[in-house]
Amino acid sequence: MPGPDPHDDTSRGYEQFEKKQLAQDRDAAGVDTADVDDTTAQRLVSDLVDADVVTPVPEEQVLVHEPSGAAFDSSTQLAVFHRGWTAGRDADWEGE
C-alpha cells in the first residue's frame, strides 16, 4: 500500500491558516487589563453599581456581575472580568 502523496499534503497550509485565525481571534478579544489598578477598579465598579450592572451583596462580601451572574470578592477581579466580558460581547456583535 503506497503512502500519501507528498504533493497532496495540505497539513502545513492548514496549520498556518489555523495559526493566523487564532492570532486574529486573540487580537479581536484582547483586552489590556494590566492598567487596572485599585483606584481604576473601584471607580469602574462604582460606575457599574450606579448603572445596575453590578450588585453588592454585603452579607456575603461579594459583588455580583448581573449580566453574567458571576460573583467576585475583589473589585479588581470584577473590573478585569467586566472588561474581558465586554470585549467578548463586542466581538460577538461584530461577528454577526
Side-chain angles (χ1 to χ4, degrees):
M1 182 170 185
D5 183 353
H7 298 290
D8 287 339
D9 183 14
T10 59
S11 63
R12 189 165 301 215
Y14 178 75
E15 288 173 7
Q16 290 177 348
F17 172 77
E18 190 174 75
K19 286 179 183 178
K20 184 178 176 182
Q21 290 300 107
L22 288 171
Q24 288 176 353
D25 290 347
R26 271 194 303 269
D27 290 344
V31 173
D32 186 14
T33 58
D35 64 341
V36 180
D37 58 17
D38 288 338
T39 304
T40 303
Q42 289 174 1
R43 189 172 345 113
L44 176 61
V45 169
S46 178
D47 291 346
L48 294 173
V49 168
D50 291 345
D52 293 327
V53 174
V54 170
T55 303
V57 183
E59 306 83 42
E60 297 177 26
Q61 296 182 344
V62 296
L63 300 162
V64 177
H65 185 257
E66 293 300 337
S68 68
F72 300 89
D73 60 1
S74 161
S75 58
T76 303
Q77 289 174 345
L78 173 61
V80 169
F81 173 83
H82 182 73
R83 283 187 171 187
W85 179 83
T86 302
R89 190 186 66 190
D90 291 347
D92 287 346
W93 280 100
E94 289 174 9
E96 290 181 359

